[in-house]
Amino acid sequence: MATRLLAIAASFLAVFTGVANAAEPQPWQMNLPAPVSPIAQQAYDFHTYWLMPVITVITLFVLTLLLYTCYRFRASANPTPSKTTHNAPLEVIWTVVPTLILAVLVWPSMKLLYASDETQDADMTIKIIGNQWYWSYEYPDHGNFIFDALLVARTTEEAEAENAARLMDTDNVVVMPIDTKIRLLMTSNDVLHNWSVSDFGVRMDTVPGRLNESWVLIEKPGTYYGFCSELCGTDHAYMPITVKAVPIDEFETWVTWAQGEFDTVAGSPVQENVRVADSTAR
């Protein structure tokens, strides 16, 4: 019991001091993961400094109002209930005030939305393909090789013995360079999936027959985890995402190894197709 209370206290301390556990979730963790990309930082700020204060004030106001109503209009204090059905000023207030609150939140919300969709001037492209139930990754700018990333199945005891993340590691890790703007193209071979890594601020559906795109610029090296966040069938819970962010020289070394290890996708690189589409649209 004492251990659990200490864990709860630590989690609340993390919330109020702005500390978040990055990369791998921890017991009793609260708040968003520590951001490691510009979009994740913007989302973290929007959540922490805009939404949470507004939600807190609204919650406390509604709670106070409910407690007052329960006390003021209890049966013993009102033996004859009021038959009032309308109050025009009050109805205007409870319509206008929420509208104003939403209007204030529009600016940071739309700013974040447009920033997450700004994929121009990317330094490289990675194509992400959802499958039942694993991920495939193509590197069109680096020889157009492709590989699959499947769950490494471990029991709890095996994970503890290996000091590994249970149900979070994949056999092939997605390697990305830090300080590099990476365009992420996403599609699916079968049903809807969702490629989601909270540390990057990326969460996007992969849709059969369609290319969705996002981007990431990782500012801190490390190993980051994510999951499919779209119900996609029986093994939906068993298609994790493991990303290893490394300096550019380590990435180039890995690319040289990967080009000899993995198969190559036939056809022209995806990057060229994207550029042709962009120029045609303009």
Side-chain angles (χ1 to χ4, degrees):
M1 183 65 181
T3 302
R4 175 164 293 190
L5 290 175
L6 287 174
I8 295 174
S11 64
F12 274 102
L13 180 62
V15 173
F16 291 110
T17 57
V19 176
N21 298 301
E24 185 177 346
Q26 303 295 328
W28 295 95
Q29 177 181 344
M30 300 180 67
N31 210 337
L32 300 176
V36 296
S37 75
I39 292 300
Q41 183 65 60
Q42 195 169 331
Y44 184 92
D45 293 343
F46 178 50
H47 169 267
T48 304
Y49 305 117
W50 286 88
L51 292 182
M52 289 305 296
V54 170
I55 291 172
T56 301
V57 170
I58 292 174
T59 302
L60 293 176
F61 172 74
V62 173
L63 175 62
T64 303
L65 195 61
L66 284 174
L67 293 175
Y68 172 77
T69 302
C70 291
Y71 173 78
R72 175 66 178 79
F73 299 102
R74 65 191 189 280
S76 59
N78 293 272
T80 304
S82 171
K83 296 183 179 181
T84 302
T85 57
H86 293 283
N87 186 306
L90 184 60
E91 292 176 0
V92 169
I93 291 172
W94 72 40
T95 301
V96 172
V97 171
T99 302
L100 293 176
I101 294 173
L102 293 177
V104 170
L105 293 177
V106 162
W107 167 246
S109 178
M110 295 303 294
K111 184 179 179 180
L112 174 60
L113 180 64
Y114 276 91
S116 65
D117 197 42
E118 186 66 32
T119 61
Q120 287 80 6
D121 302 320
D123 299 309
M124 60 174 286
T125 297
I126 296 177
K127 184 178 180 182
I128 302 166
I129 306 168
N131 305 278
Q132 289 182 311
W133 287 271
Y134 60 95
W135 298 99
S136 297
Y137 299 91
E138 295 180 17
Y139 285 70
D141 300 332
H142 300 85
N144 216 25
F145 60 86
I146 183 172
F147 61 88
D148 299 330
L150 286 79
L151 168 72
V152 176
R154 295 186 180 98
T155 64
T156 302
E157 293 75 17
E158 290 172 339
E160 291 176 353
E162 300 175 26
N163 193 27
R166 181 175 178 268
L167 300 182
M168 297 176 68
D169 280 324
T170 55
D171 55 355
N172 290 315
V173 177
V174 186
V175 180
M176 298 184 182
I178 62 172
D179 301 323
T180 302
K181 186 173 182 179
I182 305 170
R183 176 190 284 115
L184 303 174
L185 297 179
M186 305 187 193
T187 188
S188 172
N189 280 332
D190 35 56
V191 300
L192 288 177
H193 300 280
N194 184 288
W195 199 85
S196 172
V197 180
S198 297
D199 303 85
F200 301 162
V202 176
R203 183 184 297 266
M204 180 163 286
D205 280 350
T206 64
V207 183
R210 176 174 177 175
L211 279 179
N212 288 335
E213 65 178 358
S214 186
W215 67 279
V216 65
L217 193 157
I218 308 170
E219 300 173 330
K220 180 181 178 182
T223 301
Y224 303 94
Y225 297 100
F227 296 92
C228 175
S229 295
E230 186 74 67
L231 293 176
C232 58
T234 305
D235 289 336
H236 158 70
Y238 304 105
M239 52 182 302
I241 301 159
T242 306
V243 178
K244 186 175 182 180
V246 299
I248 187 66
D249 56 340
E250 292 185 30
F251 173 74
E252 292 173 351
T253 301
W254 175 82
V255 165
T256 301
W257 172 85
Q259 288 172 342
E261 181 73 13
F262 301 122
D263 293 332
T264 301
V265 179
S268 59
V270 176
Q271 180 76 7
E272 293 183 4
N273 294 338
V274 172
R275 287 173 177 168
V276 169
D278 286 345
S279 61
T280 302
R282 287 193 294 269

